[in-house]
Each structure stands twice: as structure tokens, then as C-alpha cells.
């Protein structure tokens, strides 16, 4: 059996692949072939020469001037919006005719060991596109002329027109994503009969796998990653953590979807609160004045909370209260954080919320956590007077916030 790791392109999102590699090492998963496109080719070279700590150093300390050089492109901060970064890059693309990436070549020289890669028992392949001949290029390490490996790695990573074209022996090359951004077929051609594919969900062509009998395990970001030109150490370190977490979840060693928990935590949490949640929901649904609640919940959950439903509620709460999505949590501590946050919130301005709802244009006007707090308070009111018209009406408009508030109410009992 020959297992291949296939790495897609994605610019600064490539830090995620470093986290995947960290998890594969932890799981002791061996591989015999690595193929990649763009940044996937760069990471793939490191995986082939098996220099994990060099790769970790590269991504852990990366910054914009590790990649770019030019009079019109300045340091890019992770705090800048995509719009601000796009303005900077567009200016450089127009005035400098593409971003100058000679800094990246210098960085590659520090971490690439061509002899070690060529002598490795692990085979390596990459994709690029010859703009001069208008032909896609698929190369294995034995196909690359000696001394030219860095050039072809750069060619694969040249995201034209954002980056300047790469000149090799008088011909121009651009990003492998213009041909195949997830080169699984190349891996099969090199002998792979099992694939672990790391897809960064970036722009580019992705060709269907021709061989249907190949087992493919996909690892994809479950959370939003940075804009592909944001080369910043803090963003990269988050990407590494997310890549590790998602890989461990893919192989059932950690729990969760958007947020990550210790193995077995979500099952334990589900068993603890399932009956209590359903009891609370059914109590609200059975009240005649809460028929709206019943309609929403029956249509969505059919009076039964599944473990997947509960995971979505937990993810929604974590996002709403802006918890760090790259950490590995203990579910009891996670619940305690949520409980503390809801209890420390100031009472929301009910009058303003009601006015915004009446205006009919509620999308984006009310923060999710404020609606959760509002509904949470209404549930407490309901429990005192056994009736809340406001609670019934709001459920139709904010079913996610309603279920999140119910969860918080139950864990705080």
C-alpha cells in the first residue's frame, strides 16, 4: 500500500497544512508520496525531506517581508481588513506589475535541502503551468533538473497576476492552481492507492479523481482562514492550531466541528443534558400561547435533540461569544465560560431590539449574543409567569438564538 499526502494551494493559508503534518506525526501516519500545488508544493517539499522543525520555524515566524519585496507593498498586518489588504496588493499589482516574491526565494533557500529531498524514500510531485507554451506541467522530483528545484517550487507558487511570472530558462511559469490545485491524479500516477487530501478551499481548478477505487480522506478547514496574502505570524499560528485540530477530529481523536473538545467530551455532554433540553423544549411547545415555538422546533428538530444538533448549538454559542476557535477545550470548562459570560452581561435594551424587529430589517442589526441574552431573560420571565407572547414571537425570527438560550438556561440550572 502506498499512501499519498496531497496538498492544495492557498497562499498564507498554508500554515494550516503545517498543523495537519503535526497531527499526522502525532498519529504516526506514514506516507510514501507527497504532491502539491502552489504553497502545497512548498509544504510538500518540506514533508518529503522530512524537516518538520524547519517548516514549523518557517510558519511560526512568518511575516510579509518573508515573502514580498517592492516599493508599493508594505508590511501587512493581521488586523487589516481584506479590503485594506486588497487595496495594497492591487496597487502593487498595477504599479509594479505584480508582487515581487524574491524574499520568498531567499526564505526557501534557508529551509530547502535539495539533496535531502532527492535522496528521500518519499516521492514528490508538483504542478505548475507554462505560460509561454500554454501547457500544464506535472513534475516528479526525478523530472526536475538538478539545481532547479527551488525554481520550480516558486513557479508552482506564482499566483499570477498577483505575483510576477517566474522565468525559468527563458520561459514563463505561473501557479499550479491554473491546472490542478489539488493534484490527486498526479499522486495516483506516481503509484498511490490511498490519499489524504488537504484542501485549503482556495481558488483554482480541481480535477476530479479519475481512479474511483482510491480511498480518499479529505481534511478541510472547518473555520474561516485568513485572506491568502496575509502572511503574519499570529494568523499562521492560529492556522497551525486549526490544521492540527481538524486532522485529529477527522481521525476521531478529538471532538467537535467549529470548536474542538477532548475526545468523548461531546458524548458525555449530550448524555448529561439531552433529556433536560428536550424536557424544557417540550414544556415550551406544549403551552398554547407558545405555538410558534412548537412549529419552529417541530420543523427543525422534531422534538428530539441529536448530538449533531447539540454540537451546532455549542458552535453557535462559541462563535456568538467570540471564544477562541483554535483551542482544545474541556466541555465543562467551555460551559463554565459561557455561563460566566451570560451572567456578566448587562441587561439588553429591550425597547431598541423591539423597534429594530418591527422595522423588518433585522439582519446584522442585532448582535447574536445580545439576542441570546434577550431570549434568555424572556425564558426566565416565562418561568415566572408561565406565559410570554414575546418569547413565542421571537422564536420565529431567531430560532438559533432561541436554542442557544435554552442550552444556557439548562446548564445554569
Amino acid at each position: 500500500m502506498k499512501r499519498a499526502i496531497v496538498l492544495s494551494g492557498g497562499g498564507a493559508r498554508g500554515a494550516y497544512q503545517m498543523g495537519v503534518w503535526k497531527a499526522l506525526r502525532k498519529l504516526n501516519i506514514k506516507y510514501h508520496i507527497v504532491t502539491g500545488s502552489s504553497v502545497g508544493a512548498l509544504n510538500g517539499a518540506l514533508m518529503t525531506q522530512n524537516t518538520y522543525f524547519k517548516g514549523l520555524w518557517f510558519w511560526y515566524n512568518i511575516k510579509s517581508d518573508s515573502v514580498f519585496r517592492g516599493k508599493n507593498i508594505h508590511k501587512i498586518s493581521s488586523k487589516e481588513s481584506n479590503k485594506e489588504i486588497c487595496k495594497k496588493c492591487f496597487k502593487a499589482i498595477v504599479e509594479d506589475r505584480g508582487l515581487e516574491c524574491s524574499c520568498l526565494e531567499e526564505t526557501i533557500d534557508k529551509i530547502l535541502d535539495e539533496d535531502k529531498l532527492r535522496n528521500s524514500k518519499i516521492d514528490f510531485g508538483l504542478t505548475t503551468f507554462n505560460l509561454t507554451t500554454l501547457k500544464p506541467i506535472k513534475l516528479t522530483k526525478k523530472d526536475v533538473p538538478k539545481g532547479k528545484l527551488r525554481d520550480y517550487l516558486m513557479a508552482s507558487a506564482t499566483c499570477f497576476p498577483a505575483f510576477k511570472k517566474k522565468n525559468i530558462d527563458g520561459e514563463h511559469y505561473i501557479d499550479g492552481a491554473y491546472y490542478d490545485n489539488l493534484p490527486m491524479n498526479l499522486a495516483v500516477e506516481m503509484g498511490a492507492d490511498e490519499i489524504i487530501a488537504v484542501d485549503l478551499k482556495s481558488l483554482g481548478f480541481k480535477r476530479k479523481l479519475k481512479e474511483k477505487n482510491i480511498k480518499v480522506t479529505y481534511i478541510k478547514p472547518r473555520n474561516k482562514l485568513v485572506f491568502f496574502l496575509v502572511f503574519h505570524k499570529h494568523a499562521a499560528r492560529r492556522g497551525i492550531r486549526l490544521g492540527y485540530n481538524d486532522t485529529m477530529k477527522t481521525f476521531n481523536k478529538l471532538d467537535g466541528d467549529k470548536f474542538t473538545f477532548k475526545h468523548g467530551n461531546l458524548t458525555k455532554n449530550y448524555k448529561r443534558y439531552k433529556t433536560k433540553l428536550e424536557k424544557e423544549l417540550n414544556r415550551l411547545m406544549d403551552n398554547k400561547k407558545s405555538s410558534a415555538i412548537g412549529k419552529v422546533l417541530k420543523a427543525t428538530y422534531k422534538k428530539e435533540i441529536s448530538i449533531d444538533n447539540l454540537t451546532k448549538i455549542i458552535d453557535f454559542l462559541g462563535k456568538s461569544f467570540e471564544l477562541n476557535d483554535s483551542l482544545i477545550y474541556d466541555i465543562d470548562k467551555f460551559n463554565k465560560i459561557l455561563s460566566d459570560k451570560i451572567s456578566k452581561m448587562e441587561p439588553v435594551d429591550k425597547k431598541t431590539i423591539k423597534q429594530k424587529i418591527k422595522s423588518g430589517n433585522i439582519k446584522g442589526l442585532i448582535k447574536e449574543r445580545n439576542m441570546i441574552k434577550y431570549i434568555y431573560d424572556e425564558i426566565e420571565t416565562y418561568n415566572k409567569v408561565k406565559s410570554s407572547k414575546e418569547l413565542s414571537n421571537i422564536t420565529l425570527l431567531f430560532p438559533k438564538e432561541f436554542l442557544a438560550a435554552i442550552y444556557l438556561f439548562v446548564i445554569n440550572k
Side-chain angles (χ1 to χ4, degrees):
M1 176 181 288
K2 283 191 175 182
R3 180 184 293 117
I5 308 297
V6 180
L7 306 172
S8 83
R13 297 177 180 184
Y16 181 92
Q17 293 172 344
M18 194 68 222
V20 173
W21 189 9
K22 179 181 178 181
L24 294 178
R25 285 165 54 88
K26 176 79 172 179
L27 297 167
N28 198 31
I29 293 177
K30 307 298 182 183
Y31 51 90
H32 310 88
I33 298 166
V34 183
T35 64
S37 177
S38 194
V39 74
L42 300 180
N43 284 330
L46 294 171
M47 292 185 73
T48 301
Q49 66 187 37
N50 199 25
T51 48
Y52 169 77
F53 291 103
K54 278 189 177 182
L56 189 63
W57 171 86
F58 169 70
W59 283 109
Y60 205 74
N61 298 289
I62 200 164
K63 48 190 177 180
S64 59
D65 55 14
S66 301
V67 181
F68 306 125
R69 175 180 287 138
K71 61 183 180 181
N72 290 315
I73 187 74
H74 306 291
K75 289 186 178 181
I76 295 173
S77 168
S78 61
K79 295 180 180 180
E80 291 180 274
S81 68
N82 284 357
K83 187 176 180 180
E84 290 171 330
I85 295 168
C86 284
K87 281 183 179 180
K88 284 185 177 181
C89 294
F90 183 73
K91 182 178 179 181
I93 291 166
V94 172
E95 297 186 12
D96 294 339
R97 297 184 180 181
L99 298 173
E100 174 60 61
C101 296
S102 59
C103 291
L104 180 58
E105 294 196 22
E106 294 168 6
T107 303
I108 290 174
D109 282 337
K110 295 176 183 177
I111 60 176
L112 179 66
D113 187 332
E114 184 169 344
D115 289 337
K116 195 167 189 176
L117 185 144
R118 289 186 182 279
N119 294 327
S120 172
K121 293 181 180 179
I122 300 165
D123 205 357
F124 173 68
L126 61 81
T127 61
T128 183
F129 190 87
N130 189 319
L131 197 59
T132 303
T133 63
L134 297 180
K135 290 183 179 179
I137 305 295
K138 297 185 290 183
L139 297 171
T140 64
K141 65 181 181 182
K142 68 179 180 181
D143 299 324
V144 179
K146 193 170 183 180
K148 294 285 187 180
L149 184 58
R150 184 200 70 177
D151 290 337
Y152 280 99
L153 287 173
M154 281 300 304
S156 182
T158 299
C159 186
F160 180 80
F163 298 165
K164 292 181 184 295
K165 296 171 285 188
K166 176 62 180 175
N167 187 307
I168 303 177
D169 299 329
E171 294 185 334
H172 293 118
Y173 292 81
I174 57 176
D175 201 296
Y178 280 91
Y179 171 64
D180 190 355
N181 202 32
L182 191 64
M184 292 190 289
N185 287 308
L186 175 58
V188 173
E189 291 169 15
M190 294 168 66
D193 47 30
E194 180 183 345
I195 291 172
I196 297 175
V198 186
D199 184 358
L200 296 176
K201 297 183 179 179
S202 54
L203 294 176
F205 295 102
K206 293 171 190 171
R207 299 185 179 273
K208 289 184 179 180
L209 188 60
K210 295 176 183 177
E211 179 57 61
K212 295 182 179 180
N213 295 323
I214 302 294
K215 178 186 175 183
V216 182
T217 300
Y218 288 95
I219 300 172
K220 301 179 181 181
R222 305 183 188 208
N223 301 68
K224 187 176 180 180
L225 298 179
V226 294
F227 185 58
F228 82 104
L229 292 176
V230 181
F231 290 94
H232 191 279
K233 64 181 181 181
H234 297 308
R237 291 173 188 182
R238 174 178 177 267
I240 292 170
R241 292 193 296 270
L242 290 174
Y244 176 85
N245 293 349
D246 288 351
T247 304
M248 297 300 279
K249 285 183 279 192
T250 298
F251 288 97
N252 300 313
K253 299 300 180 182
L254 290 173
D255 288 355
D257 185 21
K258 305 291 186 184
F259 285 81
T260 307
F261 301 90
K262 294 177 181 178
H263 184 60
N265 266 206
L266 293 186
T267 299
K268 178 183 76 172
N269 195 60
Y270 177 68
K271 289 179 179 178
R272 179 185 297 169
Y273 292 116
K274 175 181 181 291
T275 302
K276 294 178 181 179
L277 282 166
E278 289 176 355
K279 183 178 179 181
E280 191 68 27
L281 290 169
N282 289 334
R283 186 173 66 81
L284 293 170
M285 286 192 293
D286 290 340
N287 187 289
K288 292 181 180 180
K289 292 186 179 181
S290 300
S291 59
I293 297 174
K295 289 177 183 178
V296 170
L297 296 177
K298 283 178 181 177
T300 307
Y301 295 106
K302 298 179 181 178
K303 285 185 137 184
E304 183 177 347
I305 296 287
S306 70
I307 193 166
D308 288 339
N309 298 150
L310 187 54
T311 299
K312 289 177 183 177
I313 293 170
I314 289 169
D315 281 342
F316 181 69
L317 278 163
K319 175 178 174 291
S320 299
F321 285 95
E322 299 178 345
L323 272 62
N324 189 333
D325 62 2
S326 69
L327 300 181
I328 300 172
Y329 290 95
D330 174 87
I331 189 61
D332 293 334
K333 291 182 180 178
F334 187 85
N335 286 339
K336 180 68 166 55
I337 293 170
L338 292 175
S339 296
D340 288 344
K341 285 186 174 291
I342 196 73
S343 65
K344 291 177 182 178
M345 280 186 72
E346 294 292 330
V348 294
D349 186 345
K350 293 186 177 182
K351 184 177 179 181
T352 300
I353 289 177
K354 290 177 182 179
Q355 288 174 346
K356 288 183 177 180
I357 292 172
K358 285 181 180 179
S359 71
N361 185 17
I362 59 174
K363 189 175 181 180
L365 292 177
I366 307 170
K367 285 186 176 181
E368 292 166 343
R369 63 174 174 267
N370 288 340
M371 279 309 307
I372 293 169
K373 172 63 174 173
Y374 176 67
I375 297 169
Y376 183 88
D377 291 342
E378 286 297 315
I379 292 171
E380 290 192 323
T381 300
Y382 177 94
N383 283 346
K384 291 176 182 177
V385 301
K386 302 300 180 186
S387 175
S388 175
K389 182 180 178 181
E390 195 66 36
L391 184 59
S392 297
N393 294 337
I394 213 71
T395 304
L396 292 169
L397 297 173
F398 299 95
K400 286 184 180 180
E401 288 82 354
F402 172 77
L403 289 164
I406 287 287
Y407 179 79
L408 288 174
F409 184 79
V410 168
I411 67 174
N412 277 329
K413 268 189 170 183

